[in-house]
Amino acid sequence: MSIGERFQEYLEFQDISQKDVAKEMGIAPSQLSNMVNGNRPFNEAHIKSIMRIYPDLNMNWLFRDNLPEGEHSVNEPGSVYLKTHEATGIISEIEEKLAKLKEMVSQK
């Protein structure tokens, strides 16, 4: 998998558009698209921008093809790289229950 493919995977996991990234980086969306698609290399300035804008992005994961088991795209100690709708559903369920609890507490 190329750097561009891994970066695109990270963006999809974080639900971030290439257009938004390009704006943050101060480059044209087409320039970023060319880098992600492998038609143009990421230069040092681009990498520094990405590191500044996305500090949670694991640079080892981005640049290396084969990582040790357990190393993921997001720098969160002890976390598991989850990309499932199930995780989102669990979070929504917890948020709903928390809102109900807050409402019950405020009524007392």
Side-chain angles (χ1 to χ4, degrees):
M1 190 181 288
S2 71
I3 293 170
E5 290 170 323
R6 284 190 290 276
F7 187 56
Q8 182 61 39
E9 183 178 320
Y10 170 80
L11 296 178
E12 289 172 4
F13 176 71
Q14 297 292 347
D15 197 26
I16 303 168
S17 73
Q18 283 188 23
K19 182 179 176 181
D20 291 339
V21 174
K23 184 177 179 180
E24 282 283 326
M25 291 177 68
I27 61 175
S30 60
Q31 186 178 357
L32 179 61
S33 178
N34 281 326
M35 290 186 290
V36 168
N37 293 326
N39 300 325
R40 182 179 182 152
F42 287 85
N43 66 30
E44 185 179 344
H46 299 137
I47 299 303
K48 286 181 179 180
S49 284
I50 290 169
M51 290 172 66
R52 178 182 50 79
I53 298 165
Y54 304 106
D56 67 326
L57 175 57
N58 182 333
M59 288 295 137
N60 284 328
W61 174 81
L62 186 64
F63 289 105
R64 291 177 54 200
D65 228 358
N66 299 313
L67 287 180
E69 190 171 330
E71 193 161 340
H72 307 289
S73 69
V74 179
N75 287 323
E76 293 182 39
S79 74
V80 175
Y81 178 59
L82 293 176
K83 187 179 176 184
T84 64
H85 297 289
E86 181 180 326
T88 304
I90 292 170
I91 291 169
S92 296
E93 186 178 325
I94 290 170
E95 287 173 341
E96 288 174 19
K97 288 180 179 181
L98 181 61
K100 287 179 183 177
L101 284 170
K102 285 180 179 178
E103 185 178 320
M104 289 170 57
V105 168
S106 69
Q107 292 176 354
K108 291 185 177 189

